Amino acid sequence: MSPSSHVSIALLGFLLAAPAVAAPSGQAPVAPSSASAAVSNAVPEGFAFAPDGTTLIHVASGLRFPANFKGFKRLKEQANDPSGQYVAISYAHPLRGSKESVVVRFAVVQIDEMSAHDHYLIMRQAAMSHFSAPTIVSEGPVKIPTDPKLDAYRGTFSGTRDNQPWRFSLTTVDYGHWSGRMTAAYPQSNAAEAEQYLGVLLTEVRAQTPKALGK
């Protein structure tokens, strides 16, 4: 598979299905009523378009974010500092027979000397705060199959939104020069379908690693 076809979706190896929690403000992505949000033609700070005119490249890390990938649509991208060293991108995939979508948010940020565990602890409360009656289902270190030496941590949760049960998760990875986090959220009733879509997305994401700063 060519580099341009890899979903280097800014969370570089975030191989876990993690729910919505990763915007600069810590805001968890709220699943849209429709996954038909238009992709903007504007180029956010810190990004550049690939030759195809739709794939965004995060210049500082080299990660690529296609506008569409196997049913996932890029919804929004945001640079949170002028240097492009803190960016967030979200994607959604519609669920069959539902007005809801699987919502995935990736964030890439340059953080010095912070473990994946510490990064996770800082973001956990923000992730849980966007659901009612949130409960920790599991949390602990995880292994990334493509690079077992990477420091990664993941938590999965249950909660409710609009009186409906939801599942969500938060994953953090320490890449050395870069730290990444990924969140994902979906209705409990669509869990099997949502996890199938996430598995496809994460397989592609794991193939990516960010370049060192200044390279």
Side-chain angles (χ1 to χ4, degrees):
M1 181 177 292
S2 68
S4 62
S5 61
H6 281 305
V7 179
S8 0
I9 293 193
L11 260 225
L12 354 152
F14 262 26
L15 49 170
L16 303 344
V21 69
S25 62
Q27 178 181 357
V30 176
S33 58
S34 170
S36 61
V39 175
S40 172
N41 290 325
V43 180
E45 192 76 31
F47 290 91
F49 275 128
D52 65 10
T54 61
T55 296
L56 284 173
I57 299 174
H58 179 223
V59 176
S61 69
L63 296 172
R64 303 170 66 89
F65 298 79
N68 297 281
F69 176 76
K70 296 188 176 180
F72 281 92
K73 178 183 289 288
R74 192 177 69 224
L75 299 180
K76 183 180 179 181
E77 54 281 330
Q78 181 174 359
N80 301 300
D81 68 79
S83 68
Q85 293 180 14
Y86 185 174
V87 298
I89 287 192
S90 56
Y91 284 79
H93 191 303
L95 293 165
R96 292 189 297 269
S98 173
K99 67 177 182 179
E100 305 291 358
S101 297
V102 183
V103 179
V104 182
R105 177 170 287 149
F106 299 97
V108 182
V109 58
Q110 204 282 306
I111 303 177
D112 293 324
E113 299 181 359
M114 180 179 290
S115 68
H117 176 257
D118 288 348
H119 192 176
Y120 170 84
L121 291 179
I122 289 171
M123 297 305 302
R124 182 177 61 186
Q125 187 57 42
M128 297 177 69
S129 68
H130 294 277
F131 296 86
S132 300
T135 301
I136 297 173
V137 176
S138 65
E139 58 183 6
V142 294
K143 293 293 185 182
I144 296 179
T146 53
D147 192 344
K149 294 181 180 179
L150 281 176
D151 176 24
Y153 206 88
R154 185 193 186 204
T156 60
F157 315 89
S158 63
T160 61
R161 176 182 288 166
D162 298 329
N163 296 317
Q164 298 297 318
W166 280 65
R167 297 299 298 265
F168 57 105
S169 62
L170 165 66
T171 303
T172 54
V173 179
D174 176 12
Y175 285 91
H177 295 286
W178 295 98
S179 290
R181 61 179 177 264
M182 184 188 92
T183 60
Y186 47 86
Q188 175 65 51
S189 60
N190 298 93
E193 179 188 357
E195 289 168 7
Q196 180 181 7
Y197 297 148
L198 287 167
V200 173
L201 179 66
L202 294 173
T203 296
E204 296 300 317
V205 173
R206 291 171 189 162
Q208 304 300 314
T209 54
K211 66 184 182 181
L213 289 173
K215 292 297 185 65

Coordinates of all heavy atoms in Angstrom, one line a residue, residues 76-159:
K76 N -13.6 17.6 10.7 CA -13.0 18.9 11.1 C -11.6 18.7 11.5 O -11.1 17.7 12.0 CB -13.8 19.4 12.4 CG -13.3 20.8 12.9 CD -14.2 21.2 14.1 CE -13.7 22.5 14.6 NZ -14.5 22.9 15.8
E77 N -10.8 19.8 11.2 CA -9.4 19.8 11.6 C -9.1 21.1 12.3 O -9.7 22.1 11.9 CB -8.5 19.5 10.4 CG -8.7 20.4 9.2 CD -9.8 20.1 8.4 OE1 -10.2 18.9 8.3 OE2 -10.4 21.0 7.8
Q78 N -8.2 21.1 13.2 CA -7.9 22.3 13.9 C -6.5 22.3 14.4 O -6.0 21.3 14.9 CB -8.9 22.4 15.2 CG -8.7 23.7 16.0 CD -9.8 23.8 17.1 OE1 -10.6 22.9 17.2 NE2 -9.7 24.8 17.9
A79 N -5.8 23.5 14.2 CA -4.5 23.7 14.7 C -4.6 24.5 16.0 O -5.4 25.5 16.0 CB -3.6 24.4 13.7
N80 N -4.0 24.1 17.0 CA -4.1 24.8 18.3 C -2.9 25.7 18.7 O -2.9 26.2 19.8 CB -4.4 23.8 19.4 CG -5.7 23.0 19.0 OD1 -6.8 23.6 18.9 ND2 -5.6 21.8 18.8
D81 N -2.0 25.8 17.8 CA -0.9 26.7 18.0 C -0.3 27.1 16.6 O -0.4 26.3 15.7 CB 0.2 26.2 19.0 CG 0.9 25.0 18.3 OD1 1.8 25.3 17.5 OD2 0.7 23.9 18.7
P82 N 0.3 28.2 16.5 CA 0.8 28.7 15.2 C 1.8 27.7 14.5 O 1.9 27.7 13.3 CB 1.4 30.0 15.4 CG 0.7 30.5 16.7 CD 0.5 29.3 17.5
S83 N 2.6 27.0 15.3 CA 3.6 26.1 14.8 C 3.1 24.8 14.2 O 3.8 24.1 13.6 CB 4.6 25.8 15.9 OG 4.0 25.0 16.9
G84 N 1.8 24.5 14.5 CA 1.3 23.3 14.0 C 1.7 22.1 14.9 O 1.5 20.9 14.5
Q85 N 2.2 22.3 16.1 CA 2.7 21.2 17.0 C 1.6 20.7 17.9 O 1.8 19.9 18.8 CB 3.9 21.7 17.8 CG 5.1 21.9 16.9 CD 6.3 22.4 17.7 OE1 6.3 22.3 18.9 NE2 7.3 22.9 17.0
Y86 N 0.3 21.2 17.7 CA -0.8 20.7 18.4 C -2.0 20.7 17.5 O -2.5 21.8 17.2 CB -1.0 21.5 19.7 CG -2.1 21.0 20.6 CD1 -2.3 21.6 21.8 CD2 -2.9 19.9 20.3 CE1 -3.3 21.2 22.7 CE2 -3.9 19.5 21.1 CZ -4.1 20.1 22.3 OH -5.1 19.6 23.2
V87 N -2.4 19.6 17.0 CA -3.5 19.6 16.0 C -4.5 18.5 16.4 O -4.2 17.5 17.1 CB -3.0 19.3 14.6 CG1 -2.1 20.4 14.1 CG2 -2.3 18.0 14.5
A88 N -5.7 18.7 16.0 CA -6.8 17.7 16.2 C -7.6 17.5 14.9 O -7.9 18.5 14.2 CB -7.7 18.1 17.4
I89 N -8.0 16.3 14.7 CA -8.8 16.0 13.5 C -9.9 14.9 13.9 O -9.6 14.0 14.7 CB -8.0 15.4 12.3 CG1 -7.2 16.6 11.7 CG2 -8.8 14.8 11.3 CD1 -6.5 16.3 10.4
S90 N -11.1 15.1 13.5 CA -12.1 14.1 13.8 C -12.7 13.5 12.5 O -12.7 14.1 11.5 CB -13.2 14.8 14.7 OG -13.8 15.9 14.0
Y91 N -13.2 12.3 12.7 CA -13.8 11.5 11.6 C -15.1 10.9 12.1 O -15.3 10.7 13.3 CB -12.9 10.4 11.2 CG -11.8 10.8 10.3 CD1 -10.6 11.4 10.8 CD2 -11.8 10.6 8.9 CE1 -9.6 11.8 10.0 CE2 -10.8 11.0 8.1 CZ -9.6 11.6 8.6 OH -8.6 11.9 7.8
A92 N -16.0 10.6 11.2 CA -17.3 9.9 11.6 C -17.6 8.9 10.5 O -17.3 9.1 9.3 CB -18.4 10.9 11.7
H93 N -18.3 7.8 11.0 CA -18.8 6.8 10.1 C -20.2 6.5 10.4 O -20.5 6.2 11.6 CB -17.9 5.5 10.3 CG -18.2 4.5 9.2 ND1 -19.4 3.9 8.9 CD2 -17.3 3.9 8.4 CE1 -19.3 3.1 8.0 NE2 -18.1 3.0 7.6
P94 N -21.2 6.7 9.5 CA -22.6 6.4 9.8 C -22.8 5.0 10.2 O -22.1 4.1 9.8 CB -23.3 6.8 8.5 CG -22.3 6.6 7.5 CD -20.9 7.0 8.1
L95 N -23.8 4.8 11.1 CA -24.2 3.5 11.6 C -25.5 3.1 10.9 O -26.4 3.9 10.8 CB -24.4 3.5 13.1 CG -23.1 3.7 13.9 CD1 -23.4 4.0 15.3 CD2 -22.2 2.4 13.8
R96 N -25.6 1.9 10.5 CA -26.8 1.4 9.8 C -28.1 1.5 10.6 O -28.1 1.1 11.8 CB -26.6 -0.1 9.3 CG -25.6 -0.3 8.2 CD -25.6 -1.7 7.7 NE -25.3 -2.7 8.7 CZ -24.1 -3.1 9.0 NH1 -23.0 -2.6 8.2 NH2 -23.9 -4.0 9.9
G97 N -29.1 2.1 10.0 CA -30.4 2.2 10.8 C -30.3 3.1 12.0 O -31.2 2.9 12.8
S98 N -29.4 4.0 12.0 CA -29.3 4.9 13.2 C -29.0 6.3 12.7 O -28.3 6.5 11.7 CB -28.2 4.4 14.1 OG -27.9 5.4 15.1
K99 N -29.4 7.3 13.4 CA -29.1 8.7 13.1 C -27.7 9.0 13.7 O -27.2 10.1 13.4 CB -30.1 9.6 13.7 CG -30.1 9.7 15.3 CD -31.1 10.7 15.8 CE -31.1 10.7 17.3 NZ -32.0 11.7 17.9
E100 N -27.1 8.1 14.5 CA -25.8 8.4 15.1 C -24.7 7.9 14.2 O -24.9 7.1 13.3 CB -25.8 7.7 16.5 CG -26.9 8.1 17.4 CD -26.8 9.5 17.9 OE1 -25.8 10.2 17.6 OE2 -27.7 9.9 18.7
S101 N -23.5 8.3 14.6 CA -22.3 7.8 13.9 C -21.2 7.4 14.9 O -21.3 7.8 16.0 CB -21.7 9.0 13.0 OG -22.7 9.3 12.0
V102 N -20.3 6.6 14.4 CA -19.1 6.4 15.2 C -18.3 7.6 15.0 O -18.0 8.0 13.9 CB -18.3 5.2 14.6 CG1 -17.0 5.0 15.5 CG2 -19.1 3.9 14.5
V103 N -17.9 8.3 16.1 CA -17.1 9.5 16.0 C -15.7 9.2 16.6 O -15.6 8.7 17.7 CB -17.8 10.6 16.8 CG1 -16.9 11.9 16.7 CG2 -19.1 10.9 16.2
V104 N -14.7 9.5 15.9 CA -13.3 9.3 16.3 C -12.5 10.6 16.2 O -12.6 11.3 15.2 CB -12.6 8.3 15.4 CG1 -11.2 8.0 15.9 CG2 -13.4 7.0 15.3
R105 N -11.8 10.9 17.3 CA -11.0 12.2 17.3 C -9.6 11.8 17.5 O -9.3 11.1 18.5 CB -11.5 13.2 18.3 CG -10.6 14.4 18.3 CD -11.3 15.5 19.2 NE -12.4 16.1 18.5 CZ -13.4 16.6 19.1 NH1 -13.5 16.6 20.4 NH2 -14.4 17.2 18.4
F106 N -8.7 12.3 16.7 CA -7.3 12.1 16.8 C -6.6 13.5 17.2 O -7.0 14.5 16.7 CB -6.6 11.7 15.5 CG -7.1 10.4 15.0 CD1 -8.1 10.3 14.1 CD2 -6.6 9.2 15.5 CE1 -8.6 9.1 13.6 CE2 -7.1 8.0 15.1 CZ -8.1 7.9 14.1
A107 N -5.7 13.5 18.1 CA -4.9 14.7 18.4 C -3.4 14.3 18.4 O -3.0 13.2 18.9 CB -5.3 15.3 19.7
V108 N -2.6 15.2 17.9 CA -1.2 15.0 17.9 C -0.6 16.3 18.5 O -0.9 17.4 18.1 CB -0.6 14.9 16.5 CG1 0.9 14.6 16.5 CG2 -1.3 13.7 15.8
V109 N 0.2 16.1 19.5 CA 0.8 17.3 20.2 C 2.2 17.0 20.6 O 2.6 15.9 20.9 CB -0.1 17.6 21.5 CG1 -0.1 16.4 22.4 CG2 0.4 18.8 22.2
Q110 N 3.0 18.0 20.5 CA 4.4 17.9 20.9 C 4.5 18.2 22.4 O 4.2 19.3 22.9 CB 5.3 18.9 20.2 CG 6.7 18.6 20.1 CD 7.5 18.8 21.3 OE1 7.5 19.9 21.9 NE2 8.2 17.8 21.8
I111 N 4.8 17.1 23.2 CA 4.9 17.2 24.6 C 6.2 16.5 25.1 O 6.5 15.4 24.7 CB 3.8 16.4 25.4 CG1 2.4 16.9 24.9 CG2 3.9 16.5 26.9 CD1 1.2 16.2 25.5
D112 N 7.0 17.3 25.8 CA 8.3 16.7 26.3 C 8.1 16.0 27.6 O 7.4 16.5 28.6 CB 9.3 17.9 26.5 CG 9.7 18.5 25.2 OD1 9.7 17.8 24.2 OD2 9.9 19.7 25.2
E113 N 8.7 14.8 27.7 CA 8.9 14.1 29.0 C 7.5 13.8 29.7 O 7.4 14.1 30.9 CB 9.8 14.8 29.9 CG 11.2 15.0 29.3 CD 12.2 15.7 30.3 OE1 11.7 16.1 31.4 OE2 13.3 15.8 29.9
M114 N 6.6 13.3 28.9 CA 5.3 12.9 29.5 C 5.0 11.5 29.1 O 4.9 11.2 27.9 CB 4.2 13.8 29.2 CG 2.8 13.4 29.8 SD 1.5 14.5 29.4 CE 1.9 15.9 30.4
S115 N 4.8 10.6 30.0 CA 4.5 9.2 29.7 C 3.0 9.1 29.2 O 2.2 10.0 29.4 CB 4.6 8.3 30.9 OG 3.6 8.6 31.9
A116 N 2.8 8.0 28.5 CA 1.4 7.8 28.0 C 0.4 7.7 29.2 O -0.7 8.2 29.1 CB 1.4 6.5 27.2
H117 N 0.9 7.1 30.3 CA 0.0 7.0 31.5 C -0.3 8.4 32.0 O -1.5 8.6 32.3 CB 0.7 6.2 32.5 CG 0.0 6.1 33.8 ND1 0.3 6.8 34.9 CD2 -1.1 5.4 34.2 CE1 -0.5 6.6 35.9 NE2 -1.4 5.7 35.5
D118 N 0.6 9.2 32.1 CA 0.4 10.6 32.7 C -0.5 11.4 31.7 O -1.4 12.1 32.2 CB 1.7 11.3 32.9 CG 2.5 10.8 34.1 OD1 1.9 10.0 34.9 OD2 3.6 11.2 34.2
H119 N -0.3 11.2 30.4 CA -1.1 11.9 29.4 C -2.6 11.4 29.6 O -3.5 12.2 29.5 CB -0.6 11.6 28.0 CG -1.2 12.4 26.9 ND1 -0.7 12.3 25.6 CD2 -2.2 13.3 26.9 CE1 -1.4 13.1 24.9 NE2 -2.3 13.7 25.6
Y120 N -2.7 10.1 29.7 CA -4.1 9.5 29.9 C -4.8 10.1 31.2 O -6.0 10.5 31.1 CB -3.9 8.0 30.0 CG -5.2 7.3 30.4 CD1 -6.2 7.0 29.5 CD2 -5.4 7.0 31.8 CE1 -7.3 6.3 29.9 CE2 -6.6 6.3 32.2 CZ -7.5 6.0 31.2 OH -8.7 5.4 31.6
L121 N -4.1 10.1 32.3 CA -4.7 10.6 33.5 C -5.1 12.1 33.4 O -6.2 12.4 33.9 CB -3.7 10.5 34.7 CG -3.4 9.0 35.1 CD1 -2.4 9.1 36.3 CD2 -4.6 8.3 35.5
I122 N -4.4 12.9 32.7 CA -4.7 14.3 32.5 C -6.0 14.4 31.7 O -6.9 15.2 31.9 CB -3.6 15.0 31.8 CG1 -2.4 15.2 32.7 CG2 -4.1 16.4 31.2 CD1 -1.2 15.7 32.0
M123 N -6.2 13.5 30.7 CA -7.3 13.6 29.8 C -8.5 12.8 30.2 O -9.6 13.0 29.7 CB -6.9 13.2 28.3 CG -5.9 14.1 27.7 SD -6.3 15.8 27.7 CE -7.8 15.8 26.7
R124 N -8.4 11.9 31.1 CA -9.5 10.9 31.5 C -10.7 11.7 31.9 O -11.8 11.3 31.5 CB -9.0 10.0 32.5 CG -10.1 8.9 32.9 CD -9.5 8.0 33.9 NE -9.1 8.6 35.2 CZ -8.5 8.0 36.2 NH1 -8.2 6.7 36.1 NH2 -8.2 8.6 37.3
Q125 N -10.6 12.6 32.8 CA -11.8 13.3 33.4 C -12.5 14.0 32.3 O -13.7 14.1 32.2 CB -11.4 14.2 34.5 CG -12.6 14.8 35.2 CD -13.6 13.7 35.8 OE1 -13.1 12.7 36.3 NE2 -14.9 13.9 35.6
A126 N -11.7 14.6 31.4 CA -12.4 15.4 30.3 C -13.2 14.4 29.4 O -14.3 14.7 28.9 CB -11.3 16.1 29.4
A127 N -12.6 13.2 29.2 CA -13.3 12.2 28.3 C -14.6 11.8 29.0 O -15.7 11.7 28.4 CB -12.4 11.0 28.1
M128 N -14.6 11.6 30.3 CA -15.7 11.0 31.0 C -16.8 12.1 31.2 O -18.0 11.8 31.4 CB -15.3 10.5 32.4 CG -14.3 9.3 32.2 SD -13.8 8.6 33.8 CE -15.3 7.9 34.5
S129 N -16.4 13.4 31.2 CA -17.3 14.4 31.6 C -18.4 14.7 30.5 O -19.4 15.4 30.8 CB -16.6 15.7 31.8 OG -16.0 16.2 30.6
H130 N -18.2 14.1 29.3 CA -19.2 14.4 28.3 C -20.3 13.3 28.2 O -21.1 13.3 27.3 CB -18.5 14.5 26.9 CG -17.6 15.7 26.9 ND1 -18.1 16.9 26.6 CD2 -16.3 15.9 27.2 CE1 -17.1 17.8 26.6 NE2 -16.0 17.2 27.0
F131 N -20.3 12.4 29.2 CA -21.4 11.4 29.3 C -22.0 11.4 30.7 O -21.3 11.7 31.7 CB -20.8 10.0 29.0 CG -20.3 9.9 27.5 CD1 -19.1 10.3 27.2 CD2 -21.2 9.4 26.5 CE1 -18.6 10.2 25.9 CE2 -20.7 9.4 25.2 CZ -19.4 9.8 24.9
S132 N -23.2 11.0 30.8 CA -23.8 10.9 32.1 C -23.5 9.6 32.7 O -23.3 8.6 32.0 CB -25.3 11.1 32.0 OG -25.7 12.3 31.5
A133 N -23.3 9.5 34.1 CA -23.1 8.3 34.8 C -21.9 7.5 34.2 O -22.0 6.3 33.9 CB -24.3 7.4 34.9
P134 N -20.8 8.2 33.9 CA -19.7 7.4 33.3 C -19.1 6.4 34.3 O -19.0 6.7 35.5 CB -18.7 8.5 33.0 CG -19.0 9.6 34.0 CD -20.4 9.6 34.2
T135 N -18.7 5.3 33.7 CA -18.1 4.2 34.5 C -16.9 3.7 33.8 O -16.9 3.4 32.6 CB -19.1 3.1 34.7 OG1 -20.2 3.6 35.4 CG2 -18.4 1.9 35.6
I136 N -15.8 3.5 34.5 CA -14.6 2.9 33.9 C -14.8 1.4 33.8 O -15.1 0.7 34.7 CB -13.3 3.2 34.8 CG1 -13.1 4.7 34.9 CG2 -12.1 2.4 34.2 CD1 -12.0 5.0 35.9
V137 N -14.7 0.9 32.5 CA -14.8 -0.5 32.3 C -13.5 -1.2 32.4 O -13.3 -2.3 33.0 CB -15.4 -0.7 30.9 CG1 -15.4 -2.2 30.5 CG2 -16.8 -0.1 30.8
S138 N -12.4 -0.6 31.9 CA -11.1 -1.1 32.0 C -10.1 0.0 31.7 O -10.4 1.0 31.0 CB -10.9 -2.3 31.0 OG -10.9 -1.8 29.6
E139 N -8.9 -0.2 32.2 CA -7.8 0.8 31.9 C -6.5 0.1 32.2 O -6.4 -0.7 33.1 CB -8.0 2.1 32.6 CG -8.0 2.1 34.1 CD -8.2 3.5 34.7 OE1 -8.5 4.5 34.0 OE2 -8.2 3.6 35.9
G140 N -5.5 0.5 31.4 CA -4.2 -0.1 31.6 C -3.3 0.1 30.4 O -3.7 0.5 29.4
P141 N -2.0 -0.3 30.5 CA -1.1 -0.2 29.4 C -1.5 -1.2 28.3 O -2.1 -2.2 28.5 CB 0.3 -0.6 30.0 CG -0.1 -1.4 31.2 CD -1.4 -0.9 31.7
V142 N -1.2 -0.8 27.1 CA -1.5 -1.6 25.9 C -0.3 -1.7 25.0 O 0.6 -0.9 25.0 CB -2.7 -1.1 25.1 CG1 -4.0 -1.1 25.9 CG2 -2.4 0.4 24.7
K143 N -0.3 -2.8 24.2 CA 0.8 -3.0 23.2 C 0.3 -2.7 21.8 O -0.8 -3.0 21.4 CB 1.2 -4.5 23.3 CG 1.9 -4.9 24.6 CD 3.3 -4.2 24.7 CE 4.0 -4.7 26.0 NZ 5.3 -4.0 26.2
I144 N 1.1 -2.0 21.1 CA 0.9 -1.7 19.7 C 1.6 -2.8 18.9 O 2.8 -2.8 18.9 CB 1.3 -0.3 19.3 CG1 0.5 0.8 20.1 CG2 1.2 0.0 17.8 CD1 0.9 2.2 19.9
P145 N 0.8 -3.6 18.2 CA 1.4 -4.7 17.4 C 2.6 -4.3 16.5 O 3.5 -5.1 16.4 CB 0.2 -5.3 16.7 CG -1.0 -4.9 17.5 CD -0.6 -3.6 18.0
T146 N 2.4 -3.2 15.9 CA 3.5 -2.8 14.9 C 4.7 -2.3 15.6 O 5.7 -2.2 14.9 CB 2.9 -1.7 13.9 OG1 2.4 -0.7 14.7 CG2 1.8 -2.3 13.1
D147 N 4.6 -1.9 16.8 CA 5.8 -1.4 17.6 C 5.6 -1.7 19.1 O 5.2 -0.7 19.8 CB 6.0 0.1 17.3 CG 7.4 0.6 17.8 OD1 8.0 -0.2 18.6 OD2 7.8 1.6 17.4
P148 N 5.9 -2.9 19.5 CA 5.6 -3.2 20.9 C 6.4 -2.4 22.0 O 6.0 -2.3 23.1 CB 6.1 -4.7 21.0 CG 6.0 -5.2 19.6 CD 6.4 -4.0 18.8
K149 N 7.4 -1.7 21.5 CA 8.2 -0.9 22.4 C 7.6 0.5 22.7 O 8.0 1.2 23.7 CB 9.6 -0.6 21.9 CG 10.4 -1.9 21.7 CD 11.8 -1.6 21.2 CE 12.7 -2.9 21.1 NZ 14.0 -2.6 20.5
L150 N 6.6 0.9 22.0 CA 5.9 2.1 22.2 C 5.2 2.1 23.6 O 4.6 1.1 24.0 CB 4.9 2.5 21.1 CG 5.5 3.0 19.8 CD1 4.4 3.2 18.8 CD2 6.2 4.4 20.1
D151 N 5.2 3.3 24.2 CA 4.5 3.4 25.5 C 3.1 3.9 25.2 O 2.9 5.0 24.6 CB 5.2 4.5 26.3 CG 4.5 4.9 27.6 OD1 3.8 4.0 28.1 OD2 4.8 6.0 28.1
A152 N 2.1 3.0 25.5 CA 0.7 3.3 25.2 C -0.2 2.9 26.4 O 0.1 2.0 27.1 CB 0.2 2.6 23.9
Y153 N -1.3 3.7 26.5 CA -2.2 3.4 27.7 C -3.6 3.7 27.2 O -3.9 4.5 26.3 CB -1.9 4.4 28.8 CG -2.3 3.9 30.2 CD1 -1.5 3.2 30.9 CD2 -3.6 4.2 30.7 CE1 -1.8 2.7 32.2 CE2 -4.0 3.8 31.9 CZ -3.1 3.0 32.7 OH -3.5 2.5 33.9
R154 N -4.6 2.8 27.6 CA -5.9 2.9 27.2 C -7.0 2.7 28.2 O -6.8 1.8 29.1 CB -6.2 1.9 26.0 CG -7.6 2.1 25.4 CD -7.9 0.9 24.5 NE -9.1 1.1 23.8 CZ -9.9 0.1 23.4 NH1 -9.6 -1.2 23.6 NH2 -11.0 0.3 22.7
G155 N -8.1 3.4 28.2 CA -9.2 3.2 29.1 C -10.5 3.1 28.3 O -10.6 3.7 27.2
T156 N -11.4 2.2 28.7 CA -12.7 2.1 28.0 C -13.7 2.4 29.1 O -13.6 2.1 30.3 CB -12.9 0.7 27.5 OG1 -12.8 -0.3 28.5 CG2 -11.8 0.4 26.4
F157 N -14.8 2.9 28.7 CA -15.8 3.4 29.6 C -17.3 3.2 29.0 O -17.5 2.9 27.8 CB -15.7 5.0 29.7 CG -14.3 5.4 30.0 CD1 -13.5 5.7 28.9 CD2 -13.8 5.5 31.2 CE1 -12.2 6.1 29.0 CE2 -12.4 6.0 31.4 CZ -11.6 6.3 30.3
S158 N -18.2 3.2 30.0 CA -19.6 3.2 29.6 C -20.3 4.4 30.2 O -19.8 5.0 31.2 CB -20.3 1.9 30.1 OG -20.3 1.9 31.5
G159 N -21.4 4.9 29.6 CA -22.1 6.0 30.1 C -23.3 6.2 29.3 O -23.7 5.4 28.4

